[in-house]
Amino acid sequence: MWIWLLVVGLILSHNAYLWLVQKVVPDTDILALLPVEQRDPVLQQAFTHMVDSAQQRVIVLVGADDWAQARAAADAYSAVLIKHPALFEATAPMSEQAQTDWLGPSQQNRLSLLTAEQQKLLQEKPPAFWVESALRQLYSPFSGPKLGAWQDDPFGLFTGWVQARAQETPVRPRDGYLFVEANGRQYVMLLLTLRQPAFSMANQQAVLPLLNVAAKAAKLTVPKVELISAGVILHAGAASAQASAEMSTIGVGSLLGIVLLMWLTFGAFRPVGLIVLSIAIGCLGAFSICWLIFGRVHLLTLVFGASLIGVAQDYGIYFLCSRAGSDKSLPSHQLLRRLLPGLLLTLTAAVIGYIGLALTPFPGLRQMAVFSVLGLVFAWLTVICWFPTLVQPSTLKGTRFADWCGASRHHWPLFQRNFGTLLVAILFGVFVVTGLTRLRVNDDIRSLQSPPKVLLDDQIKLSKILDAPTPVQFYLVRGDSAEQVLQREEALRLRLDPLIAQHVISGYQAMSSWTPSMQAQIANRVLVERALLGKDGPLKALAAQLGEDQSWIKQMRERALGAATQVGTNTSTLTPDAFLKTPASEPSRHLWLGRVEGVHGVTFASIVALRGLNNYANLPLLQKTASHLDGVQWVDKVSEISTVLGDYRQYMGSVLLGAYVAIFLLLFGRYRFAGWRVVLPPAIASIGVLALLGIIGQPLQMFHMLALMLILGLGVDYGIFLQEKTDHQDPAGRFAWLAVCLSAVSALLSFGLLALSSTPPLHAFGFTMLVGIAIVWLIAPCFSQSKNSRL
Amino acid sequence: MKRLFSSGLFSSIVTPVLISGFFIVLAASAQAAAPIAKIQEMLAKPPVLCGRFDQAKQLMGIKKPLLSNGRFCVVSGKGVLWRTLQPFPNTLRLKRDEIVQMQGDRVAMRLDAKQEPVVRMINSVMFSLVAGDLSQLESLFDMDGSIQGSTWKVALKARQPALAKAIGTLTLTGGTTVKSVTINEASGDRTEITFSGVQSGVNAMTSEEGAALD
């Protein structure tokens, strides 16, 4: 008793320290759920680089019919947020210096920069072509965009290259704003950077209302304003809001139901508190120890583990029902001694059921196993150590409802070898075969999300307007050096260019577009020298046309050559590292991973991102594009996560089967062959649920599996309670059945009601629990031993 | 996503267009500042305006000035046509959603508003100029005007440093129409354009020119 108080005190203080002092956050990285040997640090970094940087951002497009209105609305919007520097990072306006030096390094090395089309022209066109184009540009009033003096770019090559870069985005600076135009409307693009994590509920509650206030302010200024927002926090916020709204509705409903039920049964409210106490101590204890063992706890562990610990309600219920059904003269501690074998058995069975998860290679499942087993043990110990003291014979009085409920067991038909049983079995068999043959599997992560339509629409609009690269599908390029990575990117780009022509993608973003590999830079330089600067090349003909002499040719030539990478020296400024120091590189920074500590030592890596990828049917084609290219890997985070979920589902399925066998063997020690009476009801219920899923066309997911584990845990408890032999004087049969009823109804109220949730995973879990527990509850008494049965 | 393109590039795209547009555009120039407002009153604002231009470019690194000439047309609400006839035939056409440069029948360059949103903005600036509404220009340029009798002079300086760096300064002179435009670029390159034989009204434009702008 006192020892346990000390232990619980320790747990509580450790939890308080973790949550309140250290402010620990559960892991959310889905890749942490992968087996260690399957993990790829470079890939992980790539995700972090691509996705996590985007997590802290919110993009808002403020659109109006004319520019002045768009600006006014954007100003009103920004004015609201600027008052909250603790939530939003201020976006620094671009310094004048940055604006003027924008293309400096590229311009200094312009001879090394050519677009693919320019390379083709330089290889194919005769000198006359270049002379003519230079002259046309000279005389034309408008030679297209021009950068710097004419003599720095007489053939317009650098200008053409910059234009090609400009095509990578439709966003342009305008009057100190970022501007994009679409469908005849003018938009200001606001980039908000959050200071706190997007997944923090507190941050969501602070940020989202503010965004609404800002939106109202913008609408007040310009009534016809169009606001398009996108950001991880919006989705996360919508999901949490939906979940918490549901949880509070469903939670309150289920709590009320359970309180009412306990009151009807025991005529007191204390039992509810006791059971909640035991489960809470279980969860907190599990969290403490897990944190000590693993040094971190994954969100998935927390959510699933806590559900699995739900089985622990049975221990308390069993004790309380026995107390209520027992003679008042029997002290609670003696009662406990009587119940101990059964209680120990239920705990062992559940532990065996869950421990199987630890045998899988997945860290997430292992953690889940440890967490839920620990939770069960802590909750169980709480019941054993405290309940006898806290619940005295006088505490509970059996009510008429309890008596009626306990006695109702006799109305159940017993399972016997007769025609009726055979008929039921045949009907059930037909149902199962029909259902299971139709059962489909779907591990797609996208089916687990149900973001509000407005958010999805906005996101689609936004990505269309901005022609932004998708953050979840990209190519990962690796090599032993930065140079090798760039060369491999260039090889990949050769394959991607035709895909742009075929409209599979609208474009790509790659570091090598900005800083070609040294190899390509040298080739470009050689090409320009040969085609344009040669002895009798276009430069000479141009001089003749303009009435200039030999010295002019020499001067122009030297000027051009000065703008090339000095091969073999260290003066080259056109490397990724150098480029990343310039303001022009900001849109490309997420592409360059640079030096990464990989599994096999140091590697260099980069990302090639795709724009305009809106047809998922093209994914296999893009995957194929990466094949046979050294060091290029197609990455699809959506399918990666779906694969992880699929693996987890399969492993859980195997563990579940193993658990049935293991539990049967365990029960064999106590009940001999009658053990089948314990494991058959949950097995039948599980098969029934699966068949039902097949019939109603709900695809099987990991969350159904999780519920099946819980059905096994609870179902075995019911079997054990009903099997436990107690002497005839005791209304044992009655209180055991009462305990089963209470536990089942509580499970239906707490888990089963989740079937009402519109969040797909919760619905899947809840629906399975609802049907499964109902079946177990209803059929468990049929498998009781009749007096003359031998099995 | 982020700050994608800096004004360096932006101005490089805008500059030539603005420049090519200006002399025409300022045929109907107007401004709020005192002399500017007067200048605007002096200018005629016909729906159609055509004439001859002579252009002299003095580039750094080339001794002799590069001379060219041709015809221009401005049609209110439709666009601008700028045809170089000598020494290299070349047509520049600015419409609401595109800027196209033709060499003979070949399209040498096309800037589409869909691809390059700035195009629509540039053109809208120019059209608003033609319409005598200079509020758009005011956000881009500081204007400084002076009047002597029936002639006037305006100096324009871009407000944005990057734009100023690319364009340098513009000087316009004229009376009832713009007479000359001088562009002094920061790089030292200099362009001077003079207008002559300016006509307005229905017969100012050849049918060919009308078709090009339709």
Side-chain angles (χ1 to χ4, degrees):
Chain A
M1 171 78 198
W2 297 113
I3 294 177
W4 192 240
L5 192 62
L6 185 71
V7 172
V8 171
L10 279 175
I11 290 171
L12 287 178
S13 40
H14 185 232
N15 263 283
Y17 168 73
L18 285 178
W19 294 102
L20 305 174
V21 182
Q22 284 208 310
K23 293 204 163 59
V24 295
V25 202
D27 274 352
T28 50
D29 179 10
I30 199 94
L31 290 172
L33 298 173
L34 278 171
V36 180
E37 61 274 12
Q38 280 184 30
R39 264 186 254 173
D40 176 344
V42 182
L43 185 64
Q44 203 146 357
Q45 279 228 8
F47 278 159
T48 315
H49 222 65
M50 257 323 244
V51 182
D52 293 7
S53 61
Q55 263 175 19
Q56 296 303 89
R57 287 191 181 272
V58 179
I59 297 174
V60 184
L61 289 181
V62 184
D65 291 329
D66 73 60
W67 181 230
Q69 283 193 321
R71 279 190 321 194
D75 288 344
Y77 194 101
S78 304
V80 173
L81 305 183
I82 215 154
K83 296 181 196 132
H84 299 272
L87 295 175
F88 299 96
E89 274 176 38
T91 40
M94 217 178 185
S95 72
E96 249 173 67
Q97 186 60 24
Q99 290 196 21
T100 45
D101 294 351
W102 194 73
L103 282 167
S106 306
Q107 202 153 4
Q108 283 158 20
N109 291 286
R110 58 189 177 273
L111 208 64
S112 311
L113 298 169
L114 293 173
T115 67
E117 195 190 1
Q118 287 173 337
Q119 288 167 342
K120 198 163 164 277
L121 291 175
L122 285 166
Q123 279 159 352
E124 293 171 0
K125 296 288 183 185
F129 169 86
W130 296 103
V131 176
E132 195 190 345
S133 77
L135 284 171
R136 275 190 195 287
Q137 288 205 349
L138 272 176
Y139 283 99
S140 115
F142 174 56
S143 45
K146 184 157 100 68
L147 295 153
W150 173 85
Q151 59 181 349
D152 284 328
D153 193 23
F155 299 101
L157 291 176
F158 181 60
T159 304
W161 177 84
V162 171
Q163 267 186 288
R165 298 285 69 75
Q167 296 306 317
E168 288 185 9
T169 171
V171 181
R172 298 285 178 267
R174 179 176 173 186
D175 306 340
Y177 295 81
L178 288 175
F179 153 77
V180 64
E181 198 269 3
N183 318 323
R185 307 202 76 178
Q186 319 272 312
Y187 294 91
V188 172
M189 179 164 103
L190 297 173
L191 284 173
L192 315 175
T193 308
L194 305 170
R195 286 197 185 272
Q196 309 294 332
F199 287 105
S200 135
M201 295 271 278
N203 195 34
Q204 288 162 16
Q205 281 154 7
V207 168
L208 297 176
L210 256 186
L211 294 180
N212 288 333
V213 173
K216 281 203 185 78
K219 283 201 180 85
L220 204 66
T221 315
V222 181
K224 286 171 106 177
V225 71
E226 180 189 12
L227 291 166
I228 306 172
S229 322
V232 172
I233 193 167
L234 303 177
H235 283 267
S240 332
Q242 187 182 30
S244 58
E246 281 176 353
M247 283 309 228
S248 52
T249 320
I250 295 171
V252 166
S254 65
L255 193 66
L256 280 178
I258 291 169
V259 168
L260 183 71
L261 184 75
M262 295 286 173
W263 187 75
L264 278 175
T265 312
F266 302 116
F269 290 118
R270 190 191 278 194
V272 188
L274 290 171
I275 287 162
V276 171
L277 177 80
S278 67
I279 290 179
I281 290 176
C283 288
L284 293 174
F287 184 79
S288 272
I289 308 273
C290 264
W291 196 272
L292 293 174
I293 296 176
F294 299 106
R296 59 190 336 159
V297 172
H298 201 281
L299 189 64
L300 205 67
T301 308
L302 219 54
V303 176
F304 290 5
S307 340
L308 290 175
I309 292 174
V311 172
Q313 65 173 4
D314 287 356
Y315 313 143
I317 290 175
Y318 188 53
F319 179 85
L320 292 169
C321 290
S322 312
R323 181 66 277 180
S326 300
D327 202 307
K328 292 267 186 292
S329 61
L330 181 76
S332 286
H333 284 281
Q334 280 186 22
L335 173 69
L336 178 73
R337 235 164 271 143
R338 254 187 230 183
L339 298 175
L340 211 49
L343 278 172
L344 201 57
L345 196 61
T346 53
L347 175 70
T348 320
V351 167
I352 284 181
Y354 292 168
I355 210 83
L357 292 174
L359 304 176
T360 59
F362 291 101
L365 291 177
R366 282 183 189 168
Q367 227 183 49
M368 225 183 286
V370 174
F371 188 91
S372 47
V373 165
L374 282 170
L376 290 180
V377 171
F378 274 102
W380 192 83
L381 284 172
T382 306
V383 171
I384 301 299
C385 297
W386 284 359
F387 276 36
T389 312
L390 295 173
V391 185
Q392 290 307 325
S394 55
T395 315
L396 301 173
K397 40 186 188 297
T399 58
R400 292 214 342 237
F401 172 80
D403 289 342
W404 167 82
C405 177
S408 66
R409 182 180 178 181
H410 302 300
H411 302 300
W412 257 259
L414 283 185
F415 171 80
Q416 283 160 335
R417 293 183 189 170
N418 55 23
F419 177 72
T421 307
L422 186 68
L423 187 69
V424 171
I426 288 172
L427 287 176
F428 183 69
V430 171
F431 168 75
V432 166
V433 170
T434 319
L436 291 187
T437 47
R438 293 189 186 184
L439 185 62
R440 297 279 167 272
V441 171
N442 179 9
D443 298 312
D444 194 334
I445 180 82
R446 277 169 296 207
S447 66
L448 299 181
Q449 300 168 308
S450 57
K453 194 172 172 310
V454 181
L455 275 185
L456 277 184
D457 289 351
D458 265 15
Q459 196 152 5
I460 290 165
K461 260 193 254 178
L462 193 105
S463 62
K464 271 213 177 97
I465 292 174
L466 296 180
D467 196 17
T470 141
V472 288
Q473 284 108 0
F474 52 85
Y475 293 102
L476 183 60
V477 183
R478 306 177 213 218
D480 298 333
S481 62
E483 172 67 10
Q484 191 179 40
V485 169
L486 292 171
Q487 287 183 22
R488 286 173 169 178
E489 272 191 19
E490 281 153 3
L492 171 64
R493 283 167 51 202
L494 284 179
R495 293 199 185 181
L496 290 178
D497 288 332
L499 295 181
I500 299 175
Q502 294 162 31
H503 300 292
V504 172
I505 49 175
S506 67
Y508 51 76
Q509 291 181 339
M511 190 48 123
S512 53
S513 303
W514 291 94
T515 59
S517 64
M518 278 303 138
Q519 181 187 317
Q521 288 188 38
I522 294 165
N524 284 344
R525 179 191 149 112
V526 168
L527 187 59
V528 175
E529 276 193 62
R530 207 186 53 216
L532 303 180
L533 309 177
K535 229 176 156 41
D536 295 317
L539 209 50
K540 189 179 172 185
L542 193 60
Q545 289 275 356
L546 295 172
E548 296 287 348
D549 57 8
Q550 200 60 40
S551 69
W552 181 86
I553 299 175
K554 185 166 174 282
Q555 187 211 329
M556 288 290 284
R557 207 183 127 84
E558 277 167 6
R559 212 182 163 97
L561 292 179
T565 311
Q566 296 302 311
V567 181
T569 67
N570 291 335
T571 56
S572 168
T573 48
L574 210 52
T575 59
D577 288 341
F579 173 68
L580 288 171
K581 294 193 182 99
T582 68
S585 70
E586 214 201 314
S588 319
R589 277 175 202 165
H590 61 285
L591 301 173
W592 191 248
L593 297 166
R595 209 187 136 96
V596 186
E597 295 287 336
V599 194
H600 313 297
V602 174
T603 48
F604 286 79
S606 75
I607 287 167
V608 175
L610 301 173
R611 291 187 296 119
L613 171 62
N614 41 26
N615 182 357
Y616 287 123
N618 287 324
L619 291 180
L621 179 64
L622 290 162
Q623 186 171 8
K624 216 174 70 195
T625 305
S627 59
H628 309 306
L629 278 177
D630 281 340
V632 179
Q633 177 189 355
W634 168 248
V635 176
D636 178 352
K637 187 163 183 177
V638 173
S639 76
E640 297 259 345
I641 296 172
S642 305
T643 311
V644 172
L645 289 178
D647 288 348
Y648 271 48
R649 179 184 50 76
Q650 286 181 332
Y651 271 98
M652 277 181 146
S654 326
V655 167
L656 194 61
L657 287 175
Y660 272 99
V661 174
I663 289 173
F664 180 75
L665 292 177
L666 168 83
L667 297 174
F668 193 78
R670 188 165 173 86
Y671 303 130
R672 297 292 154 207
F673 285 104
W676 66 265
R677 295 175 180 277
V678 176
V679 291
L680 200 58
I684 289 176
S686 300
I687 293 168
V689 171
L690 290 175
L692 185 62
L693 288 178
I695 283 169
I696 62 174
Q698 228 188 69
L700 187 66
Q701 300 163 345
M702 178 183 159
F703 299 90
H704 296 112
M705 284 296 170
L706 188 75
L708 294 180
M709 303 262 336
L710 203 50
I711 289 170
L712 168 64
L714 289 166
V716 166
D717 286 355
Y718 303 165
I720 291 173
F721 294 161
L722 296 177
Q723 284 297 315
E724 273 303 289
K725 290 217 177 53
T726 38
D727 57 60
H728 213 60
Q729 302 307 313
D730 219 39
R734 276 218 333 254
F735 75 66
W737 175 234
L738 180 64
V740 171
C741 289
L742 278 187
S743 167
V745 177
S746 306
L748 290 177
L749 287 171
S750 55
F751 296 122
L753 280 181
L754 291 176
L756 300 174
S757 167
S758 56
T759 311
L762 291 181
H763 169 80
F765 179 79
F767 180 78
T768 313
M769 288 299 290
L770 189 70
V771 178
I773 293 295
I775 296 177
V776 173
W777 179 34
L778 293 177
I779 66 172
C782 305
F783 290 88
S784 305
Q785 273 171 305
S786 53
K787 290 196 176 73
N788 49 13
S789 78
R790 304 225 191 101
L791 272 178
Chain B
M1 309 275 318
K2 295 165 239 197
R3 177 171 305 274
L4 301 160
F5 260 88
S6 87
S7 3
L9 179 77
F10 160 79
S11 55
S12 69
I13 292 169
V14 178
T15 313
V17 186
L18 278 181
I19 293 168
S20 56
F22 262 43
F23 25 82
I24 312 156
V25 153
L26 292 163
S29 151
Q31 239 323 44
I36 305 286
K38 279 220 176 69
I39 292 168
Q40 188 172 354
E41 284 167 24
M42 292 165 76
L43 280 161
K45 286 185 275 292
V48 179
L49 199 70
C50 295
R52 175 194 161 111
F53 69 86
D54 283 271
Q55 176 182 292
K57 266 194 195 179
Q58 188 64 62
L59 298 180
M60 296 296 289
I62 300 175
K63 292 188 195 73
K64 72 171 188 188
L66 305 166
L67 305 175
S68 59
N69 63 67
R71 266 180 66 78
F72 74 95
C73 270
V74 181
V75 180
S76 174
K78 279 198 178 165
V80 178
L81 194 67
W82 187 263
R83 290 192 302 150
T84 306
L85 302 169
Q86 296 292 335
F88 294 100
N90 175 316
T91 303
L92 182 70
R93 191 179 71 208
L94 299 110
K95 280 189 176 177
R96 192 170 296 281
D97 292 343
E98 60 170 20
I99 299 175
V100 180
Q101 185 168 232
M102 314 270 297
Q103 289 172 359
D105 292 334
R106 191 175 77 87
V107 175
M109 188 207 66
R110 177 194 295 271
L111 280 180
D112 194 308
K114 280 199 190 66
Q115 256 177 350
E116 207 49 77
V118 163
V119 166
R120 211 172 290 175
M121 183 184 105
I122 294 164
N123 290 353
S124 81
V125 167
M126 294 190 20
F127 297 142
S128 67
L129 282 168
V130 174
D133 164 24
L134 291 199
S135 57
Q136 297 263 26
L137 261 196
E138 213 190 353
S139 63
L140 289 172
F141 294 95
D142 275 324
M143 302 192 191
D144 180 17
S146 62
I147 303 172
Q148 281 189 315
S150 62
T151 62
W152 51 261
K153 190 174 174 182
V154 179
L156 295 125
K157 196 161 173 286
R159 290 172 191 263
Q160 284 185 20
L163 196 59
K165 187 174 179 243
I167 299 180
T169 54
L170 299 173
T171 315
L172 311 168
T173 64
T176 50
T177 57
V178 180
K179 283 281 178 291
S180 78
V181 179
T182 309
I183 305 152
N184 284 302
E185 288 179 52
S187 62
D189 293 349
R190 177 188 159 97
T191 306
E192 189 168 349
I193 301 164
T194 48
F195 301 111
S196 55
V198 177
Q199 290 181 301
S200 60
V202 190
N203 301 326
M205 201 161 48
T206 65
S207 57
E208 183 188 356
E209 286 166 343
L213 274 177
D214 267 332

